[in-house]
């Protein structure tokens, strides 16, 4: 139903009819359609966590390709979530998930450094690229998009952070 009519048009009555359950049964499990959506998003984030665990054993590029493939396989579902007016919560939770994943990488690469701005920058950039991909606004293949994102993250996290970039610009001016 999310893919067919969009979340905003879905009603509890329609859900119960489609699932062939009573409204009472629905309300035993969920307080409303937003609660049901939250449960669905929780399940997706659990699956994504498992993907991220596999990613840890890979380089940035290979891991990012794996991550983007997850979204490629569920592109219609995520496109429906990104385009629904009522799913600000999904976008917020997805951003939080990305922040958590990148934060662990940043902590490993820059222990003790204040990375708040860098973390927010990278997380919002990844979310923006991901959203553009699932909405069909990027025309490259998923592997190419993921490889570019992975390489950019690797450059930023492993030695091309803001301090190093500032130093590189200063050195180039001196030459």
């Amino acid at each position: 139903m999310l893919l067919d009519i969009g979340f905003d048009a879905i009603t509890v009555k329609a859900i119960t009819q489609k699932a062939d359950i009573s409204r009472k049964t629905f309300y035993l499990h969920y307080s409303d359609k937003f609660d049901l959506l939250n449960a669905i998003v929780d399940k997706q984030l659990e699956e994504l966590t498992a993907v991220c665990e596999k990613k840890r054993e890979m380089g940035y590029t290979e891991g990012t390709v794996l991550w983007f493939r997850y979204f490629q396989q569920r592109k219609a579902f995520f496109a429906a979530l990104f385009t629904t007016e009522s799913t600000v919560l999904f976008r917020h939770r997805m951003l939080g998930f990305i922040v958590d994943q990148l934060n662990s990488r940043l902590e490993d690469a820059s222990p003790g450094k204040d990375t708040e701005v860098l973390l927010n920058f990278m997380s919002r950039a990844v979310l923006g690229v991901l959203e553009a991909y699932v909405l069909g606004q990027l025309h490259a293949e998923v592997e190419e998009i993921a490889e570019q994102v992975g390489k950019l993250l690797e450059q930023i996290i492993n030695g091309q952070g803001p301090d190093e970039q500032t130093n590189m610009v200063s050195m180039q001016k001196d030459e």
Side-chain angles (χ1 to χ4, degrees):
M1 290 176 71
L2 180 67
L3 302 178
D4 294 336
I5 63 174
F7 183 76
D8 294 324
I10 295 174
T11 63
V12 171
K13 181 179 180 181
I15 293 169
T16 59
Q17 287 175 342
K18 184 100 171 166
D20 196 27
I21 60 171
S22 71
R23 289 172 66 91
K24 184 178 179 180
T25 300
F26 176 87
Y27 286 115
L28 281 173
H29 299 280
Y30 308 102
S31 58
D32 55 23
K33 70 179 190 175
F34 296 96
D35 191 30
L36 172 59
L37 180 63
N38 199 34
I40 293 168
V41 169
D42 283 346
K43 184 177 182 321
Q44 294 298 314
L45 292 179
E46 286 175 21
E47 290 178 12
L48 209 60
T49 299
V51 170
C52 289
E53 288 303 315
K54 290 179 189 174
K55 259 180 64 165
R56 291 194 190 286
E57 300 166 11
M58 302 175 170
Y60 283 98
T61 303
E62 298 89 9
T64 305
V65 169
L66 179 68
W67 198 71
F68 267 82
R69 282 192 184 134
Y70 174 86
F71 288 95
Q72 180 185 33
Q73 293 166 354
R74 295 154 183 83
K75 192 173 182 179
F77 171 77
F78 285 105
L81 288 179
F82 277 123
T83 57
T84 301
E85 289 181 28
S86 301
T87 55
V88 173
L89 178 61
F90 165 71
R91 188 176 275 106
H92 179 73
R93 292 195 54 207
M94 192 69 215
L95 180 62
F97 183 85
I98 294 168
V99 166
D100 290 345
Q101 294 302 313
L102 289 174
N103 191 40
S104 65
R105 292 282 188 146
L106 275 173
E107 285 176 352
D108 291 345
S110 304
K113 277 186 144 177
D114 183 7
T115 57
E116 181 181 21
V117 172
L118 186 58
L119 180 61
N120 272 279
F121 173 78
M122 290 188 316
S123 301
R124 291 173 195 283
V126 170
L127 181 62
V129 170
L130 179 63
E131 185 174 357
Y133 167 71
V134 298
L135 295 179
Q137 297 168 348
L138 298 175
H139 304 293
E141 294 295 319
V142 68
E143 287 81 10
E144 183 181 343
I145 295 166
E147 286 175 9
Q148 288 182 37
V149 170
K151 286 176 184 175
L152 289 168
L153 290 173
E154 185 174 26
Q155 287 174 353
I156 292 170
I157 292 173
N158 291 335
Q160 292 296 316
D163 295 338
E164 291 80 0
Q165 289 175 352
T166 302
N167 290 340
M168 286 178 60
V169 170
S170 296
M171 289 170 48
Q172 289 172 348
K173 286 181 182 176
D174 291 340
E175 291 175 359

